[in-house]
Amino acid sequence: MTTGMPVRPNPLIPGFNPDPSVVFADGAYFLVTSTFEYLPGMPVYRSTDLVEWTHIGNVATRPEQVEIQGVVTGCGVWAPTIRYRDGVFHVIVTVAMSPRGCVVFTATDPAGLWSDGTTIDGIDGIDPDLAWDDDGTAYVTYSGLGTTGEDIGAHHGIQQVRVDLDTGTALEPPRSLWSGTGSMFPEAPHLHRRGDWWYLMIAEGGTERGHAVSVARSRSPQGPFEPCPANPVLTARGTKRPVQNTGHADLVATPDGGSALVLLGVRPLGLTRAFSPLGRETFLTDVEWVDDWPLPAPLELAPRLGVEEVVFDFTDPAALDDPGWLGVRRTPADVASLTATPGRLAITGNGSTLDATAPCFLGRRQRHLTATISTRVDASRGTGGLAARYSEAQHLELEARGHGDHVTVTARAVVTGLTQTWEHTFPAGEVELRMEMSPPPTGFDPKALGGDRIRLTAVSGDDEVQLTELDGRHWTAEAAVSFTGRVLGLYAVDGTVTFAELGYAGSEQ
Ligand code: 6LW
């Protein structure tokens, strides 16, 4: 590390931020990640030093850009690539199982608005990368995983076509490129030009514990590619490293003139390090060039110190403008209103619970392993509350329901068809709902084998009741078999439920 360089935190961007891609343009770094069944799609983060990142907007702010309303959970917006050419930012992405397929979005301002997107016909695969040769030829290099028709699930390795971005057409049949060392699922290809070399960097081994980064080089973007003798150049498989599943990397020049990789990883908890509550997050590791080969340093965990606290006060009419809100197959503006009940956020249910594929849910990424989220809810006219969602099959919630002269609060844990509830009755009126998540104990404690600990509490006046404490293992990437991460937020099932504010406090201690 060059002296004077800021110590870069890792995770670089915590919480549900998988499949990162980064570009340096106009004096800053811009990074995008996957969002699957959530809207808005593809957050855009900006940094000038690779340390401090600001969520400046989202690529898919309009449902019609990605058409994910009908995709199964876990499909949708997979693995975008962001690139910059002649003053225009491009994001190319596969919207898996959506009519949109492989789409290229453009913008001159990466904060948005982004274009409606042009589907590129002739590309049946995932993880598309976009690169241009000196003569302006545009190459899409992708992982040939069949996502349509009879070909669903078949894997044809790393493939490439030249494309016409204006008309959205492939100019040739796909050619096969080098596809790694033989591990399963060669994917996440990125082409990088450095001097006379074209580098093809890929992920292989699958996005779980076998994940790895491998690289090859050629004098031509079309190959043939010569594999690096040190492949895989980065992996955590078979190690006790605190960050596992490392892979899906994109190469970037650092402010000090060096190079680095942004890539995904997970932070599994427990004595067996089995359960990752936050899902796949964005990390960074430095790269050293040896004999014109990019050799990444082993990824070091360096969590940010201190407590991150934020209160979304719903008397602020701009509270919903924050780009970090998420809906499930629905936009935040479609789910919640700051005008229906002045001074409060209102969510009107439609009978859908969190078991639904498009619940009336407004969420945010859980960004810390130790976190508290809380709200004050008025359920006199409906049913709703505070929830942690992994999917429609894995979620937990504190739900308030008004009954005239009293209000019941139900803590509910849902794990693939199994449900358990705890209930307490309070006098009518506003109730505080609070979820506290923290890493499991260490040492010889049965709880040390599990996931994080999740305490569910409700407060009315002087009556503070912890309804239950859960083993969070069931709401993790591994148990949910999920590509996303834990999303915390507010919801309604029926009637109109209003909230005074949403508070979040997180730390890594
Ligand atoms: C992503 C691919 C992957 O497109 O999962 O398992 C997909 N690896 O790289 C979604 O993250």
Side-chain angles (χ1 to χ4, degrees):
M1 178 79 66
T2 311
T3 53
M5 271 290 290
V7 175
R8 285 197 290 261
N10 249 342
L12 197 64
I13 302 178
F16 156 36
N17 282 292
D19 309 322
S21 174
V22 64
V23 72
F24 184 77
D26 285 349
Y29 296 92
F30 299 93
L31 187 148
V32 292
T33 61
S34 301
T35 40
F36 305 95
E37 72 267 19
Y38 286 97
L39 285 174
M42 296 169 278
V44 182
Y45 299 98
R46 180 182 185 277
S47 174
T48 55
D49 61 5
L50 280 182
V51 174
E52 295 309 324
W53 291 85
T54 303
H55 187 170
I56 61 171
N58 300 283
V59 173
T61 51
R62 309 178 299 279
E64 58 272 17
Q65 286 175 281
V66 289
E67 295 185 36
I68 58 168
Q69 56 276 14
V71 302
V72 296
T73 290
C75 285
V77 176
W78 279 17
T81 294
I82 187 168
R83 296 292 182 253
Y84 180 79
R85 179 178 176 83
D86 299 338
V88 177
F89 289 87
H90 297 72
V91 165
I92 186 170
V93 65
T94 295
V95 190
M97 314 303 274
S98 153
R100 300 253 39 204
C102 178
V103 196
V104 178
F105 299 98
T106 59
T108 51
D109 177 354
L113 287 177
W114 288 76
S115 68
D116 291 342
T118 300
T119 292
I120 308 287
D121 295 327
I123 294 179
D124 184 16
I126 62 171
D127 303 0
D129 171 80
L130 185 54
W132 291 267
D133 203 343
D134 292 340
D135 63 5
T137 302
Y139 291 90
V140 175
T141 307
Y142 58 96
S143 175
L145 174 67
T147 59
T148 56
E150 300 293 313
D151 207 29
I152 281 188
H155 209 299
H156 305 290
I158 302 298
Q159 298 188 302
Q160 182 188 79
V161 289
R162 286 174 297 124
V163 300
D164 180 330
L165 292 173
D166 296 327
T167 61
T169 48
L171 301 175
E172 59 195 345
R175 77 182 124 268
S176 293
L177 300 185
W178 171 79
S179 294
T181 64
S183 294
M184 66 177 176
F185 297 147
E187 53 198 2
H190 286 305
L191 267 183
H192 295 280
R193 184 82 179 272
R194 185 175 187 266
D196 294 334
W197 290 110
W198 285 86
Y199 293 89
L200 173 59
M201 185 168 280
I202 72 166
E204 55 179 333
T207 198
E208 298 79 18
R209 297 292 191 261
H211 218 191
V213 179
S214 292
V215 65
R217 69 188 180 193
S218 171
R219 299 295 187 185
S220 159
Q222 298 187 30
F225 288 92
E226 163 206 6
C228 177
N231 280 335
V233 292
L234 180 143
T235 185
R237 66 184 172 215
T239 72
K240 292 180 66 176
R241 305 194 71 83
V243 181
Q244 291 286 317
N245 299 27
T246 46
H248 204 112
D250 204 10
L251 189 65
V252 66
T254 53
D256 66 343
S259 300
L261 293 185
V262 296
L263 68 165
L264 73 81
V266 297
R267 291 186 278 166
L269 294 175
L271 275 184
T272 59
R273 290 193 318 284
F275 305 110
S276 311
L278 306 188
R280 300 176 301 164
E281 306 174 272
T282 288
F283 291 84
L284 178 140
T285 192
D286 287 310
V287 167
E288 184 184 6
W289 291 90
V290 175
D291 300 333
D292 279 336
W293 286 114
L295 300 184
L299 194 152
E300 299 298 342
L301 181 60
R304 293 170 196 267
L305 301 178
V307 178
E308 178 181 311
E309 278 193 274
V310 59
V311 176
F312 292 96
D313 176 349
F314 297 132
T315 60
D316 173 2
L320 275 180
D321 297 347
D322 182 284
W325 296 110
L326 291 169
V328 184
R329 298 181 182 83
R330 296 172 64 185
T331 64
D334 179 47
V335 168
S337 165
L338 285 170
T339 54
T341 311
R344 298 180 72 89
L345 180 99
I347 300 181
T348 298
N350 60 11
S352 300
T353 69
L354 285 161
D355 296 340
T357 55
C360 302
F361 172 77
L362 176 71
R364 299 185 70 85
R365 296 166 176 83
Q366 180 180 338
R367 293 164 43 91
H368 303 84
L369 292 173
T370 298
T372 297
I373 188 163
S374 61
T375 190
R376 285 184 290 121
V377 62
D378 174 354
S380 57
R381 295 181 294 134
T383 304
L386 187 65
R389 179 186 189 273
Y390 238 96
S391 69
E392 58 271 22
Q394 262 103 345
H395 53 86
L396 61 103
E397 55 260 3
L398 276 165
E399 184 168 279
R401 175 188 288 266
H403 300 276
D405 64 350
H406 66 279
V407 58
T408 56
V409 173
T410 303
R412 183 179 302 112
V414 176
V415 177
T416 47
L418 299 176
T419 299
Q420 186 167 354
T421 59
W422 302 260
E423 197 166 282
H424 188 84
T425 298
F426 294 98
E430 191 175 65
V431 180
E432 179 192 339
L433 305 177
R434 186 172 70 232
M435 280 185 193
E436 296 163 285
M437 284 76 67
S438 55
T442 55
F444 293 101
D445 178 328
K447 293 178 181 175
L449 289 170
D452 57 338
R453 305 303 301 174
I454 303 178
R455 290 179 298 284
L456 303 181
T457 300
V459 186
S460 173
D462 297 334
D463 189 4
E464 177 163 334
V465 177
Q466 178 174 307
L467 284 91
T468 190
E469 177 176 325
L470 300 170
D471 179 334
R473 74 173 74 187
H474 304 293
W475 301 276
T476 59
E478 293 83 0
V481 191
S482 165
F483 282 146
T484 59
R486 203 179 281 173
V487 177
L488 311 175
L490 309 171
Y491 75 100
V493 176
D494 52 43
T496 293
V497 181
T498 67
F499 304 87
E501 88 282 313
L502 182 68
Y504 175 91
S507 71
E508 300 303 354
Q509 279 69 43

